[in-house]
């Protein structure tokens, strides 16, 4: 395939936008080469600026669970736009989307809309701190909760008690309030609580992780977290920005059978427009301004176009909840196909899957946390990524990302993808 126009557009973009992109993972740093510029997309396919058609496995990193340019969503946005795009005053559609979201997720009473997953997680943690009157939070190495300062903390080597900033610009003062635990390791959480008893406001986690590849929490770990939080009066925050309205109507909470205290949403809830949200029961949410003292605001929060897209998306998912099963079956088909191909190739591999999230890691040990995910062979991943791209399949350009299936993918698309892998030299 040729990517001449994409490469030229990327060169031009780099003159005016740092690194040529508005979000770093788009730049292909992990896999090398120039990013693909999209011209349009429909259903399961991306059409790039060079006229190539690609089968898409990122779905805009999750939101487009029913495929690109999904008509009910597009129509809703167009109709809404004709009536004005922003008012800075309340609109009825905000309540409609709130009411629907609250009805789909069993243990929340109220929800506040923001503009991104980053804002949702940042605000959820502020609310947890305001509610509990405590400063520290526990996060897990390899989990991503957006780019706000408290979350840009990664494990140093060995056992970690205090986080150290891994991005310049995050102060030590901020970093010291973020404690790092290991995913799927309950003891690492117990140790942190022991050393910081009475100081921890919340534990925030991706209930099914998608930012170190797809990693499934083991049963004892995720249920154990719930128990520990209840015993220690720590709030459990599920960052369901990726999993919410993707793993089922009730998200990962429903799929895993665990209730969190505060939920963060993004991606699917905006149907492809910029929406994030956080939610909890009425008692916790009553601490939020203007009802309570914890401040949080946004000029474009609850924007009518974004609400229209979100409402159209959630309405579809609510009415057709068999779509979650259909997606899980398609993902299983891809998993089995990849498995049958990869076992005849000479590279070690692991495939992790949950619902419509899946990832391939080129390593021989099970991938259960950041450390085991980081052991994947990146040279093999690069060959795999570029080989698949050349055969018309667009996978996430980093081994640390989950694939997101969309329901416009047909079994023929999946088989074409599996056949592409078969033809690949790894
Ligand atoms: C994408 C993501 C975020 C950040 O959302 P943005 O809309 O990119 O700010 C937060 N948490 C998780 C789990 C995510 O996948």
């Amino acid at each position: 395939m040729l990517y001449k126009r994409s490469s030229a557009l990327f060169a031009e973009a780099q003159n005016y936008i740092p690194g040529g992109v508005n979000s770093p993972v788009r730049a292909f740093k992990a896999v090398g080469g120039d990013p693909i510029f999209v011209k349009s997309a429909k259903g399961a396919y991306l059409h790039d600026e060079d006229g190539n058609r690609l089968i898409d496995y990122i779905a805009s990193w999750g939101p487009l669970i029913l495929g690109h340019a999904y008509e009910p969503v597009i129509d809703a946005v167009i109709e809404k736009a004709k009536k004005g795009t922003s008012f800075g005053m309340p609109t009825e559609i905000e309540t409609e989307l709130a009411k629907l979201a609250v009805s789909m997720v069993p243990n929340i009473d109220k929800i506040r809309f923001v503009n991104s997953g980053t804002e949702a997680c940042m605000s959820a943690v502020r609310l947890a701190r305001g509610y509990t009157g405590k400063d520290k939070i526990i996060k897990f190495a390899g989990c991503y909760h957006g780019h706000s300062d408290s979350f840009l903390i990664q494990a140093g080597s060995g056992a970690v008690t205090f986080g150290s900033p891994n991005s310049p610009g995050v102060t030590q003062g901020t970093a010291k309030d973020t404690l790092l635990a290991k995913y799927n390791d309950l003891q690492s959480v117990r140790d942190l609580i022991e050393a910081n008893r009475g100081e921890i406001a919340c534990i925030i986690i991706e209930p099914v992780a998608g930012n170190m590849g797809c990693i499934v929490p083991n049963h004892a770990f995720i249920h154990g977290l719930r128990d520990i939080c209840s015993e220690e009066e720590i709030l459990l925050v599920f960052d369901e920005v990726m999993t919410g309205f993707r793993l089922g109507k009730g998200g990962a909470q429903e799929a895993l059978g665990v209730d969190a205290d505060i939920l963060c949403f993004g991606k699917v809830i905006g149907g492809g427009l910029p929406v994030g949200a956080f939610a909890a029961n009425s008692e916790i949410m009553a601490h939020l301004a203007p009802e309570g003292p914890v401040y949080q605001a946004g000029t474009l929060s609850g924007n009518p176009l974004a609400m229209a897209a979100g409402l159209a998306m959630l309405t579809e998912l609510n009415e057709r909840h068999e779509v979650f099963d259909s997606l899980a079956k398609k993902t299983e088909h891809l998993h089995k196909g990849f498995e049958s191909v990869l076992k005849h190739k000479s590279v070690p591999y692991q495939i992790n899957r949950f619902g419509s999230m899946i990832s391939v890691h080129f390593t021989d040990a099970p991938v259960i946390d950041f450390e085991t995910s980081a052991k994947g062979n990146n040279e093999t991943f690069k060959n795999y990524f570029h080989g698949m791209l050349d055969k018309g399949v667009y996978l996430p350009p980093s081994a640390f990302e989950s694939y997101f299936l969309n329901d416009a993918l047909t079994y023929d698309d999946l088989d074409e993808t599996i056949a592409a892998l078969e033809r690949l030299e790894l």
Side-chain angles (χ1 to χ4, degrees):
M1 279 195 196
L2 277 175
Y3 308 110
K4 253 177 86 176
R5 197 168 147 73
S6 274
S7 293
L9 289 170
F10 185 50
E12 176 73 347
Q14 283 172 289
N15 292 326
Y16 303 103
I17 301 172
V21 293
N22 282 308
S23 195
V25 73
R26 296 177 197 165
F28 277 25
K29 281 261 180 201
V31 290
D34 290 345
I36 309 294
F37 275 56
V38 185
K39 190 163 192 177
S40 68
K42 181 72 188 165
Y45 308 123
L46 298 164
H47 302 279
D48 74 9
E49 289 282 357
D50 288 280
N52 302 307
R53 189 207 77 171
L54 302 167
I55 303 177
D56 181 26
Y57 284 93
I58 70 167
S60 184
W61 300 101
L64 306 175
I65 191 169
L66 299 176
H68 289 274
Y70 188 69
E71 250 155 54
V73 173
I74 301 300
D75 291 347
V77 173
I78 291 172
E79 282 315 303
K80 212 54 178 170
K82 291 179 187 162
K83 298 187 174 119
T85 57
S86 181
F87 313 110
M89 293 163 70
T91 54
E92 184 178 6
I93 194 169
E94 294 163 71
T95 309
E96 286 177 67
L97 182 56
K99 197 169 168 183
L100 179 56
V102 162
S103 78
M104 290 171 80
V105 182
N107 60 329
I108 58 174
D109 300 322
K110 288 185 180 168
I111 186 164
R112 168 68 56 87
F113 294 112
V114 294
N115 306 289
S116 67
T118 295
E119 264 189 83
C121 295
M122 178 186 86
S123 310
V125 164
R126 185 182 305 140
L127 177 60
R129 285 173 165 151
Y131 178 81
T132 58
K134 299 171 191 169
D135 287 348
K136 292 183 180 170
I137 65 171
I138 293 178
K139 82 173 277 284
F140 294 86
C143 280
Y144 180 67
H145 305 295
H147 63 90
S148 90
D149 287 1
S150 314
F151 301 127
L152 288 183
I153 316 291
Q154 213 196 36
S157 56
V160 188
T161 39
F162 288 123
S164 62
N166 77 342
S167 166
V170 176
T171 66
Q172 287 292 343
T174 299
K176 78 172 177 27
D177 286 331
T178 301
L179 311 173
L180 270 168
K182 272 177 77 173
Y183 206 87
N184 273 325
D185 181 346
L186 210 49
Q187 193 55 44
S188 74
V189 176
R190 287 204 189 93
D191 292 346
L192 288 174
I193 293 175
E194 193 63 46
N196 299 272
R197 181 147 277 122
E199 296 181 83
I200 298 167
C202 68
I203 297 179
I204 183 165
I205 186 167
E206 290 180 62
V208 173
N211 286 293
M212 41 186 166
C214 171
I215 296 184
V216 183
N218 72 55
H219 186 272
F221 169 70
I222 201 78
H223 286 263
L225 271 187
R226 175 66 275 174
D227 294 342
I228 291 179
C229 283
S230 302
E231 283 158 24
E232 302 284 341
E233 296 182 358
I234 293 170
L235 294 179
L236 182 59
V237 181
F238 272 6
D239 175 356
E240 294 230 38
V241 170
M242 223 175 232
T243 54
F245 308 102
R246 170 166 285 279
L247 298 183
K249 275 209 282 188
Q253 281 197 123
E254 181 182 275
L256 299 167
V258 180
D259 280 356
D261 300 305
I262 304 181
L263 282 304
C264 307
F265 299 108
K267 300 190 170 122
V268 176
I269 199 171
L273 267 77
V275 182
F278 58 106
N281 64 28
S282 302
E283 196 227 330
I284 294 175
M285 291 304 269
H287 285 69
L288 203 60
E291 232 180 302
V294 178
Y295 197 69
Q296 187 279 323
T299 301
L300 290 175
S301 292
N303 173 269
L305 303 194
M307 295 292 102
L311 185 61
M313 178 63 89
L314 292 203
T315 301
E316 289 281 318
L317 296 176
N318 193 38
E319 283 167 6
R320 297 173 31 202
H321 44 91
E322 64 283 357
V323 81
F324 300 113
D325 272 343
S326 148
L327 272 166
K329 289 209 179 81
K330 286 177 185 178
T331 313
E332 187 183 1
H333 183 82
L334 188 71
H335 184 166
K336 284 188 176 150
F338 270 25
E339 184 93 49
S340 67
V341 170
L342 284 172
K343 72 178 179 214
H344 297 297
K345 304 210 184 263
S346 57
V347 290
Y349 67 91
Q350 304 289 323
I351 301 176
N352 285 1
R353 168 173 62 94
F354 195 98
S356 53
M357 295 164 64
I358 184 170
S359 58
V360 178
H361 304 259
F362 297 105
T363 172
D364 44 26
V367 172
I368 55 161
D369 58 14
F370 183 67
E371 222 174 299
T372 46
S373 174
K375 288 206 174 106
N377 183 322
N378 203 48
E379 285 310 306
T380 310
F381 183 83
K382 279 187 198 175
N383 293 337
Y384 163 71
F385 171 79
H386 282 292
M388 294 299 274
L389 183 60
D390 262 342
K391 291 170 182 55
V393 178
Y394 194 79
L395 302 174
S398 156
F400 289 117
E401 305 285 352
S402 171
Y403 316 177
F404 299 103
L405 272 69
N406 70 78
D407 205 47
L409 285 161
T410 63
Y411 281 89
D412 282 346
D413 294 326
L414 300 172
D415 289 339
E416 191 180 327
T417 305
I418 296 160
L421 183 62
E422 197 156 17
R423 286 185 282 132
L424 212 68
E425 299 235 357
L426 284 177

